[in-house]
Amino acid sequence: MNENMHDVVVIGGGAAGLSAGLVLARARRRITILDGGAPRNAPAAHMHGFLSRDGMPPAALLEAGRAELAGYGVEPITARVDEVAREDGPEPAFTVRLTGGASLRARRILVATGLRDELPDLPGLRERWGKDVLHCPYCHGYEVRDRPIGVLATGPMAVHQTLLVRQWSSDVVLFGQGREISPEDRERLAARGVTIREGQVKRVVADDDGLRGVELADGRVVDRGALFVQSTMIPNDGLLTGLGCAREDGLVRTDGKGRTAVPGVSAAGNVVNPHAQVIMAAAEGSAAAMALNADLVEGDVQRAVRHDRVTGRRATEFGGAVEAMIAEAVLGDRRHGL
């Protein structure tokens, strides 16, 4: 095997990528982890729902993961990947080209590049994102419990999100933003005590102490202590689609073990599962790494079998030639009466 060839290059150093790297390092695989250094959850002060890590700052989790990997001789490299190209040959092989001109070669690729959130264009909203302007009730609902909460109707799941949020507060307002709300949904919301504000939201009102409310187009301010927003989640899957990975319903399709439609290319975490929380992304990275290692083991076995067949045949051919030479020499001696 070419000593410059990695077993796996992991692209993305978040929970999915680091978890995959840990499994592969423990499997004694030669790997490199490339991290662009812009995690999606960087604005959040804490993460939740991760057993044994509840309340930990996201950056602290990544630091702990990198420290664990260092114990196995793996240190993630901060780098941006411009392109991953397939190499010609009977087995999967790839060239990973980095910004700045450097490149790596790998037998397998694992993409764990996450996603980015596109937010509504409202003054004041982005500045509070991840603090008291939030997207996931399971991630942040408990921290804003019993506050007056608003939900901005920015997507088709607005009613569903509002009814979820109602679990954490009895004072919930849905800002309709002109979206049509069916009579059935209005009845369901009313039954749970949710107020609907029909007018357009003009801006998010906040000061140094946090969110204060939501200003409507007519100038009225509705006091709120937290606001939930359904962002538009855009997977960072350009490397995968550039390799020809098939998509389905807007996402790159994978099997239950992270394999894409392109042999040798796997993906895990938010890049293929936008709704995965940190603990789920880490689990997906681990599962993808185990599948990758199993694929590599099978490739190693097949290569060893081919080697033995070739070297065995050559040995047989060589042995046969020697036997023929000896027989000819004996026959010649007999002809000469020796």
Side-chain angles (χ1 to χ4, degrees):
M1 178 60 63
N2 188 331
E3 64 179 12
N4 294 320
M5 179 72 80
H6 292 74
D7 288 318
V8 183
V9 168
V10 179
I11 305 172
L18 294 179
S19 181
L22 184 61
V23 171
L24 292 166
R26 286 179 53 80
R28 307 185 72 181
R29 291 296 177 183
R30 186 184 182 204
I31 67 169
T32 288
I33 301 174
L34 304 172
D35 181 22
R40 177 196 182 194
N41 59 2
H46 305 95
M47 63 175 196
H48 297 281
F50 197 135
L51 187 64
S52 81
R53 297 293 182 267
D54 189 67
M56 174 182 278
L61 176 72
L62 301 184
E63 182 180 355
R66 288 191 287 265
E68 290 176 355
L69 280 161
Y72 295 94
V74 176
E75 295 188 14
I77 299 171
T78 300
R80 295 186 63 84
V81 177
D82 289 336
E83 180 189 23
V84 180
R86 283 187 281 182
E87 300 180 2
D88 294 331
E91 299 181 17
F94 304 88
T95 299
V96 181
R97 298 189 177 95
L98 311 182
T99 300
S103 64
L104 302 170
R105 298 182 66 228
R107 298 168 64 191
R108 299 291 188 273
I109 298 293
L110 175 60
V111 176
T113 45
L115 60 79
R116 64 186 184 276
D117 293 288
E118 289 190 354
L119 302 177
D121 187 16
L122 285 176
L125 187 146
R126 181 170 291 279
E127 290 79 2
R128 301 307 305 170
W129 179 246
K131 302 176 179 68
D132 37 34
V133 173
L134 311 163
H135 76 290
C136 173
Y138 293 106
C139 301
H140 307 288
Y142 189 82
E143 281 60 52
V144 297
R145 65 193 182 280
D146 298 327
R147 297 186 196 178
I149 297 176
V151 178
L152 196 64
T154 54
M157 299 296 289
V159 171
H160 171 74
Q161 187 179 40
T162 302
L163 292 171
L164 278 181
V165 168
R166 175 62 180 80
Q167 178 66 24
W168 284 272
S169 174
S170 60
D171 183 357
V172 178
V173 173
L174 172 60
F175 297 95
Q177 291 292 86
R179 298 186 69 87
E180 183 177 349
I181 302 174
S182 71
E184 179 185 2
D185 282 337
R186 288 180 181 274
E187 181 181 29
R188 297 170 69 214
L189 291 165
R192 290 291 283 156
V194 174
T195 301
I196 301 174
R197 295 279 186 167
E198 305 286 359
Q200 291 284 334
V201 171
K202 180 180 179 180
R203 69 185 180 100
V204 171
V205 180
D207 57 27
D208 292 341
D209 293 327
L211 185 70
R212 289 288 173 247
V214 173
E215 183 178 342
L216 303 179
D218 61 10
R220 290 178 297 164
V221 175
V222 181
D223 293 338
R224 296 289 94 183
L227 181 66
F228 281 84
V229 177
Q230 184 182 344
S231 67
T232 301
M233 296 180 285
I234 309 297
N236 297 320
D237 60 4
L239 296 175
L240 292 167
T241 56
L243 283 163
C245 297
R247 301 183 77 177
E248 186 176 292
D249 298 328
L251 298 170
V252 169
R253 186 176 71 245
T254 60
D255 65 9
K257 298 181 179 179
R259 300 184 186 94
T260 71
V262 176
V265 179
S266 295
N270 286 148
V271 69
V272 289
N273 182 3
H275 301 290
Q277 294 180 297
V278 177
I279 192 169
M280 296 167 63
E284 290 179 6
S286 179
M290 292 180 191
L292 280 167
N293 187 61
D295 291 345
L296 289 166
V297 166
E298 182 59 27
D300 294 339
V301 170
Q302 292 178 4
R303 187 179 299 106
V305 168
R306 288 195 300 270
H307 177 270
D308 281 0
R309 286 174 178 173
V310 170
T311 56
R313 181 170 62 250
R314 287 175 179 169
T316 300
E317 292 172 352
F318 177 75
V322 170
E323 290 175 356
M325 291 173 62
I326 293 172
E328 180 63 27
V330 170
L331 181 60
D333 289 345
R334 289 176 178 171
R335 286 173 181 165
H336 291 86
L338 299 175

